[in-house]
Amino acid sequence: MDVVFDNLDLFLRGIRTTVSLTLTSYVVAFVIGMVVASFRVSPVPPLRLVGSFYVNTVRNTPLAVLMVLFFFALPDVGILYSAYISAIIVLSAYTGSFIAETIRAGINSVAKGQAEAARALGLTYPQVLRIVILPQALRAVIAPLGSIFIALIKNSALANLISVTELSGTAERLINDTAQPIPLFIAAALAYLVLTIPSGILLGRIERRFAIKR
Amino acid sequence: MRRHRWLAVAFVVLSMTAAACGDSDDDSTVGGGQSTATTVSKPAFAAGTTMANLQAKGKLVIGTKFNQLGSGLKNPTNGQLEGFDIEIGKLIGVGIFGGTVDSLGSKVEFKEAVSAVREAVIQSGDVDLVIATYTINTARKTQVDFAGPYIVDGQDIMVKTDNTTIKTIADLNGKKVCTGEGSTTPANLTAKQVNADLTLFKTYPECAEALRQGRVEAVVTDRGILVGLVDASSRGFKLVGVNVSEEPLGIGLKKGDDAFRAFLNDRLDAIIASGEWKAAYEKTLGKLGLPTPTAPKPDRYAGTGTATTLAATTTVPPSTTTTR
Amino acid sequence: MNDTILADELGPRGRRRVFIGSIIASILVLAVIAIAIKRFNDNGQFAEEKWRPLTQWSVLKFYLGGLGNTLKAAGAAMVIALIVGGLVALARLARTAPVRWLATLYVEFFRGMALYLLILFCWLGLPRLGVRLDVYWYLVIGLSVYNSAILAEVFRAGILSLDRGQSDAASALGMRYWQAMGLVIVPQAVRRMLPAIISQLVTLLKDTSLGVLIFYEELLRRARLSAEFFHNPVMSVALVAIFYITVNYALSVFATRLEARQRRRYKAGSIKVTGLEQLAVVGAQAESSIT
């Protein structure tokens, strides 16, 4: 295990990159998800079309393909960002499509009478969505949103494909430098469990706290 | 109805497996090529040596680059591998299996091995040899052994054709420079007291794309790699023409296998003497405008010896992280 | 797909607003498309030499070879992951405690792991442990192990979602535990979780693109090699994206239809599906379909 302790600073930097990629991307993805979900349930047909086009294309493309496309191909049409920013944009866009679908499922789970009642009270469409539907919908989908967060922690490893060295990438580089794969893999695996398992427990708590009692 | 659904699922899975079976063009083995090589009768090796084992197994796996024009390239227009490293690999194969370069068939298999994983794939046993523009140096010798050098290359700087600001090595200071992950370039630049903003990619064409797209201002690596990139850029790139460092390129093999290393060095001597080395160079890197260099003399350094191999693997090699 | 949540018919003012909104939105969408086309044109992306390689049979064959490799890896990993996942799910419900613990450990460990790291381990770690295989198998093993852990959870959720009366009835008929499992419980559970299983298999297909990281020549790796050769990354990678979108979209539509039909059937039948249970399924799917 010496090889791990000797390179602890590199490991910690890798973990920090994983965490910052995950947190930043999740916040951005959440905003994207909210907007796209509202598009998908909007009464305006073109917005619905845009929403479903976004979800169906981004969600069905492998994250690795999106990474490569954004970082190595899109500069050819003048879209050029640093590796770290690119990783955040791609992770957010990808995760956002899943969040959008989850929120939409939550919206559909809110009883129709709620929207009808709100409309009867004279609320406009955006008001209905913002004040009545979304708060209930979000509470209902806390569990899947949490799963998506945990998936994002793991997905952030793909940032390595575009030269952002996070946790997995740190392990990869150290393996080649030191030729000791086994301790390095164990350390990286433990680091992932340290990140994912407490997140899971925390999310379970949040879920129970906000659970809808029926 | 229920039945149909199952059929549909079964169909999806089956069609995938079926489609997979139809694929036959992608074995990265040796094929084609002109018959320039001399015939070698099947050599005999002492039992227990790596050469004997490989001969018995009928397969030699070589890690190489798949996207470096001139040295190692998998050509998407025909799926064939071409380049100087490939030629050397085939000639080594002839030394083990006998026959000619053309008769090797699937006995020599090439696997993609990018800069960053060359030590790892040798040590893991994933490949038997690495011939992949692989610089011999002391840091790497702590992990793997090298036969050769089979050629001595030097590092140069590649910039866009219209670049006028980078003329010397010192001009790289503070500039965005791209090179391969796990290459010798960072150490070379440090040795020249150059402090550049380094971007590391896994392969060099990625560096070339980054240069073309303006992500970096210069690419620093072996001239043999750069000429391929310049050639492929249709006059978009040029070499600055400085010598950043000398790069003796060797054949990487598992550490401690001195008998195999001695065999490889003998084989290199043989192909240099027979002219096959020169022919291989001329039909690959030579075509990119590089003059044929004088063939190097393999460096038969004293090894750790097979007897001490077991002891060597149990001791912890020093971490080279800080030196690269 | 009836997405809109506006339950009531729109009045004349509402209809007018929607109409105006539609026009504005359409103009914006068209503007974005126009800008994209202009960007492509300004950057010379419509130049013939960028597209010509993709019309040559020899190059297409190179891509098809990559596609074959992708499907070969995905097919094998699907079969192995389904089998192993099923076994692990049964082990998690076994009556022997140590078996349960082991299965739980397996699931929790591999589910919490980044697939990237797992595949990397197969490639650089397994040989060190004496397992030397073709790079194809490293990818297949990595994909299988990871997905079997997730599928095990999907199977388990399916089994647990069944009414207890099912297994009670089976044992009342004199069936042994394994008989009840094999004849009564598992078939129902699998049918019920089929949409979730399919969406996980879609994910698996997408994840074969992680083969690039160990330089397995699947579709994306071949597209990269081709793009580097012809300097047309936009077209090459877009081609790969279009393939995945088409296949996965078709499979997702299939899964959604299946789900809708099942929901109808269960509503009509004797099994009650409450709102919360449906959400649990949504949750399981959301989890399983993103990795």
Side-chain angles (χ1 to χ4, degrees):
Chain A
M1 279 325 259
D2 280 355
V3 62
V4 176
F5 294 113
D6 289 350
N7 296 296
L8 207 56
D9 53 331
L10 286 178
F11 251 106
L12 289 177
R13 202 188 308 158
I15 292 174
R16 211 163 53 225
T17 311
T18 293
V19 170
S20 71
L21 276 177
T22 306
L23 291 180
T24 320
S25 306
Y26 196 76
V27 171
V28 181
F30 196 82
V31 175
I32 294 177
M34 289 284 251
V35 171
V36 173
S38 344
F39 277 16
R40 290 211 70 180
V41 298
S42 149
V44 182
L47 289 184
R48 278 210 300 276
L49 201 71
V50 169
S52 72
F53 177 79
Y54 179 83
V55 167
N56 286 324
T57 49
V58 175
R59 208 169 54 136
N60 286 320
T61 312
L63 185 53
V65 174
L66 288 176
M67 285 279 178
V68 169
L69 185 69
F70 191 88
F71 188 76
F72 289 109
L74 289 194
D76 273 13
V77 291
I79 299 172
L80 183 106
Y81 291 96
S82 75
Y84 184 77
I85 300 291
S86 301
I88 291 201
I89 292 174
V90 173
L91 285 171
S92 310
Y94 184 74
T95 310
S97 70
F98 284 88
I99 292 184
E101 275 308 84
T102 306
I103 292 178
R104 189 173 71 101
I107 290 173
N108 287 341
S109 78
V110 176
K112 258 192 175 170
Q114 300 269 348
E116 285 168 352
R119 291 286 290 160
L121 287 173
L123 299 185
T124 63
Y125 173 74
Q127 282 177 325
V128 174
L129 207 53
R130 194 165 45 91
I131 302 172
V132 180
I133 309 291
L134 276 180
Q136 298 188 66
L138 286 179
R139 282 177 73 179
V141 293
I142 286 174
L145 287 181
S147 310
I148 291 176
F149 180 77
I150 291 173
L152 178 58
I153 298 178
K154 299 183 274 173
N155 280 339
S156 65
L158 271 80
N160 278 302
L161 295 178
I162 59 171
S163 80
V164 177
T165 312
E166 46 64 77
L167 181 49
S168 296
T170 307
E172 189 178 358
R173 285 195 186 182
L174 284 174
I175 287 165
N176 197 54
D177 285 351
T178 65
Q180 297 184 62
I182 306 301
L184 289 165
F185 274 121
I186 293 174
L190 287 179
Y192 272 111
L193 294 182
V194 164
L195 293 176
T196 53
I197 291 180
S199 305
I201 295 171
L202 189 71
L203 288 162
R205 284 233 178 104
I206 297 173
E207 193 191 341
R208 274 196 297 284
R209 171 109 166 60
F210 288 98
I212 304 167
K213 303 208 172 56
R214 290 194 180 166
Chain B
M1 241 5 225
R2 188 182 304 164
R3 217 215 253 91
H4 287 222
R5 190 193 305 150
W6 282 107
L7 280 176
V9 175
F11 173 75
V12 169
V13 174
L14 270 180
S15 58
M16 285 183 165
T17 2
C21 297
D23 174 48
S24 58
D25 71 326
D26 63 281
D27 41 341
S28 309
T29 46
V30 178
Q34 301 85 357
S35 171
T36 51
T38 40
T39 308
V40 175
S41 56
K42 190 173 172 179
F45 298 109
T49 57
T50 310
M51 296 79 82
N53 292 341
L54 291 171
Q55 199 184 48
K57 207 165 43 162
K59 182 146 239 142
L60 170 69
V61 183
I62 300 176
T64 192
K65 306 279 180 74
F66 272 20
N67 54 1
Q68 283 176 196
L69 181 63
S71 43
L73 177 85
K74 186 155 198 170
N75 190 332
T77 57
N78 56 20
Q80 294 288 326
L81 283 160
E82 51 201 42
F84 186 57
D85 287 349
I86 306 294
E87 296 302 319
I88 295 292
K90 290 182 196 172
L91 291 169
I92 299 291
V94 171
I96 291 174
F97 302 114
T100 66
V101 165
D102 297 333
S103 72
L104 281 172
S106 62
K107 284 185 197 143
V108 177
E109 186 194 332
F110 290 96
K111 273 191 182 177
E112 187 165 13
V114 298
S115 299
V117 301
R118 289 175 297 197
E119 289 86 36
V121 291
I122 291 174
Q123 284 161 336
S124 75
D126 199 34
V127 300
D128 301 308
L129 296 173
V130 164
I131 310 178
T133 53
Y134 199 9
T135 304
I136 302 171
N137 66 31
T138 42
R140 286 174 181 161
K141 275 187 191 168
T142 63
Q143 298 184 47
V144 298
D145 266 331
F146 286 98
Y150 60 93
I151 190 164
V152 177
D153 203 354
Q155 289 203 327
D156 205 333
I157 304 169
M158 180 174 79
V159 293
K160 276 191 179 173
T161 312
D162 55 12
N163 184 306
T164 50
T165 55
I166 298 175
K167 293 199 184 87
T168 64
I169 302 169
D171 290 339
L172 292 175
N173 256 312
K175 294 275 169 34
K176 285 188 174 169
V177 174
C178 188
T179 192
E181 206 176 282
S183 74
T184 53
T185 310
N188 291 340
L189 291 180
T190 311
K192 298 264 176 190
Q193 269 111 43
V194 170
N195 190 12
D197 178 4
L198 286 179
T199 301
L200 303 179
F201 286 126
K202 291 200 194 312
T203 71
Y204 288 102
E206 286 168 347
C207 278
E209 293 292 274
L211 180 63
R212 186 169 64 80
Q213 292 165 343
R215 209 181 272 287
V216 296
E217 284 172 85
V219 179
V220 179
T221 188
D222 300 0
R223 202 168 282 115
I225 299 171
L226 293 178
V227 287
L229 296 173
V230 168
D231 188 76
S233 73
S234 44
R235 295 169 197 273
F237 305 147
K238 65 177 181 192
L239 292 188
V240 172
V242 294
N243 216 22
V244 180
S245 68
E246 289 265 289
E247 303 287 326
L249 304 184
I251 302 176
L253 68 153
K254 197 164 252 179
K255 191 158 176 58
D257 196 346
D258 288 348
F260 193 27
R261 186 156 60 90
F263 159 79
L264 292 169
N265 283 328
D266 290 346
R267 180 69 192 148
L268 285 176
D269 276 338
I271 61 169
I272 289 167
S274 71
E276 288 164 288
W277 183 91
K278 188 161 176 278
Y281 190 91
E282 279 165 357
K283 76 182 225 194
T284 55
L285 286 167
K287 279 203 182 139
L288 300 174
L290 284 181
T292 309
T294 45
K297 196 107 197 74
D299 170 20
R300 297 166 185 270
Y301 59 90
T304 46
T306 327
T308 55
T309 310
L310 286 174
T313 49
T314 49
T315 53
V316 179
S319 166
T320 56
T321 323
T322 44
T323 62
R324 312 198 1 191
Chain C
M1 291 220 200
N2 190 11
D3 297 336
T4 174
I5 55 153
L6 282 183
D8 48 348
E9 274 295 305
L10 288 169
R13 225 173 61 180
R15 275 207 297 273
R16 199 168 62 233
R17 274 200 196 144
V18 167
F19 182 68
I20 294 169
S22 298
I23 289 177
I24 294 173
S26 305
I27 291 172
L28 286 178
V29 169
L30 290 176
V32 168
I33 294 173
I35 291 172
I37 290 175
K38 190 174 163 350
R39 281 239 156 155
F40 264 66
N41 195 34
D42 291 353
N43 288 287
Q45 292 301 310
F46 288 122
E48 197 219 340
E49 78 261 16
K50 299 260 179 200
W51 295 88
R52 198 176 39 219
L54 296 184
T55 62
Q56 286 167 357
W57 172 237
S58 57
V59 177
L60 284 179
K61 225 169 80 184
F62 189 68
Y63 278 86
L64 285 177
L67 176 59
N69 288 343
T70 289
L71 296 179
K72 208 156 63 176
M78 280 178 191
V79 172
I80 298 173
L82 282 171
I83 294 170
V84 176
L87 293 177
V88 173
L90 289 180
R92 279 205 79 176
L93 298 164
R95 286 165 301 176
T96 333
V99 175
R100 269 202 315 269
W101 296 335
L102 272 179
T104 308
L105 193 70
Y106 179 91
V107 167
E108 291 302 328
F109 184 82
F110 288 116
R111 227 166 47 126
M113 204 53 41
L115 180 57
Y116 186 100
L117 190 72
L118 215 53
I119 293 174
L120 209 61
F121 172 77
C122 293
W123 185 42
L124 299 178
L126 280 187
R128 189 49 75 88
L129 301 174
V131 185
R132 233 153 259 169
L133 298 163
D134 198 69
V135 69
Y136 163 77
W137 283 110
Y138 297 144
L139 178 63
V140 169
I141 292 173
L143 287 171
S144 304
V145 167
Y146 181 78
N147 285 285
S148 66
I150 289 174
L151 283 172
E153 280 302 271
V154 174
F155 287 136
R156 194 175 72 109
I159 292 172
L160 291 180
S161 77
L162 288 181
D163 197 295
R164 221 196 125 68
Q166 296 284 334
S167 52
D168 288 348
S171 51
L173 287 173
M175 287 189 190
R176 289 168 175 279
Y177 177 80
W178 290 111
Q179 279 180 313
M181 270 288 171
L183 294 171
V184 181
I185 308 292
V186 170
Q188 293 190 71
V190 167
R191 193 191 311 153
R192 193 175 271 200
M193 297 315 277
L194 207 50
I197 293 168
I198 291 174
S199 67
Q200 184 56 33
L201 295 184
V202 167
T203 307
L204 192 157
L205 178 62
K206 285 198 294 179
D207 284 342
T208 45
S209 60
L210 276 174
V212 283
L213 89 101
I214 59 173
F215 300 94
Y216 174 64
E217 279 187 66
E218 44 69 73
L219 190 53
L220 181 59
R221 183 75 200 122
R222 287 250 169 132
R224 296 279 287 134
L225 288 173
S226 158
E228 285 161 0
F229 190 80
F230 296 112
H231 304 294
N232 60 352
V234 178
M235 297 77 204
S236 309
V237 187
L239 189 69
V240 176
I242 288 168
F243 158 75
Y244 275 108
I245 291 168
T246 317
V247 171
N248 291 336
Y249 182 68
L251 286 172
S252 317
V253 168
F254 177 63
T256 315
R257 291 234 174 108
L258 210 62
E259 199 188 346
R261 198 197 298 163
Q262 285 188 354
R263 200 173 298 157
R264 273 202 310 277
R265 177 176 304 178
Y266 290 140
K267 252 182 202 150
S270 58
I271 305 166
K272 265 202 318 235
V273 178
T274 68
L276 278 177
E277 257 175 306
Q278 271 175 18
L279 274 179
V281 175
V282 169
Q285 266 182 321
E287 176 172 14
S288 65
S289 58
I290 176 173
T291 40

